[in-house]
Amino acid sequence: MSILLATTSTDLEDRIQRATSGHVLSIKGPLPDRPEELLYRLVGSPVPQVVVLDAQASSVQALGLAAGFAVTSPGTSVLLVSDLWQEIGMDAMRAGVLDILHPSAEIADIQVALERAERVAQLRGQPQTTAPTTVDPTTATVAGGRVISVVSPKGGVGKTTVSTNLAVGLAKAAPQSVVLVDLDIQFGDVANALNLEPEYQLPQMVRGDAARDTMVLKTFLALHPTGLYVVSGPESPIEADGIDGEMVGHLLDQLAAEFRFVVVDTAPGLSEHTLAAMDRTTDLVLITSMDVHGVRGLRKELDTLDDLGMFTDARHIVLNFAENGRGLSTADVRATLGTDVDLVLPVSRSVPASVNQGIPLLQSSMRSPVTKELARLVARFAPPVSTGRGRHRRSWVGAR
């Protein structure tokens, strides 16, 4: 890996050197205005795969320089070092920045971000024709981001509630490295569930410049206060016309190449779009409510997956709206499904209140049995965020 670091901080230089075992070229002094001025100091060496810009002295200067690299050297991955990711996150994304590292990020976090930046730089240097059309679930966490699809054979089981809380919980563990896709393209409600009014929706992201250029796509994403990026569904079913499975698959391929986690909220059943998502999925979250029709429908879906040999080791079964006195017990559900249930979400009055307010439970940090179970679902994919003294929450865009 070829890495260029531009900084005035001796401490940052030391930690980047330790993270790379000394394999980094460091340039001291304030940031220049143009990439050419920085690269000139390499004395004829090849353009580095990864450029790390210390934005602590001037975010504006660093963002301008990053935007310059996006134009003059689009194959180079640019990382910023800043503790202002919430303030500059959207501007950084528009400037083509791949990651934002906290100034006090741990060595392991720096290594993860740099390794991912190298992979992205290598992918950008390859012809478009070599890009994979499907994701192998056994290797997807190496070749790209983890794609988690939330599915159910029927509606009304709380898929969007689970999807938004899962995505928000992951974003709290890895800010700006998670994107949530509303794939219920006719009646999706992710934007309302997150209290967002996005400027762009799914139709604009699967067509035109966004479909051709991932950098353009990233500027179309809505940013949630938790650091979560969102692809919202169309404003009306009419706008969904013409969006096919191939478009959806291409969008997910683009996002998986840029983000650590891609959470997909699907429509009920197995539509063309859901099947396209499942072709790219590394983990499947299957949801049923505590009623006979829902449980039997999920059993049929599990049988179908078994027949196809799909997701045998990557299924997460969630029983929602669980309560006593509904005619079925958790044991009945397990017996009907022929497998264990991984998580049981109890009925809670806090859920509809959360949905109506557009504030997911894991965003508000409300303590309740259902919140505890949702946090357990998040922990299946990412470890809990450390809040101990002297520890810094991970803060990077799309880091693996």
Side-chain angles (χ1 to χ4, degrees), residues 144-155:
R146 203 165 176 177
V147 180
I148 307 167
S149 291
V150 182
V151 303
S152 174
K154 66 186 290 286

Side-chain angles (χ1 to χ4, degrees), residues 184-208:
D184 187 345
I185 69 169
Q186 290 190 320
F187 302 105
D189 206 30
V190 162
N192 288 331
L194 292 172
N195 198 24
L196 289 175
E197 295 183 2
E199 182 177 359
Y200 302 100
Q201 291 85 26
L202 180 68
Q204 290 83 38
M205 299 187 200
V206 297
R207 300 185 176 103

Side-chain angles (χ1 to χ4, degrees), residues 20-31:
T20 61
S21 300
H23 296 138
V24 61
L25 177 62
S26 180
I27 294 180
K28 293 288 188 65
L31 297 177

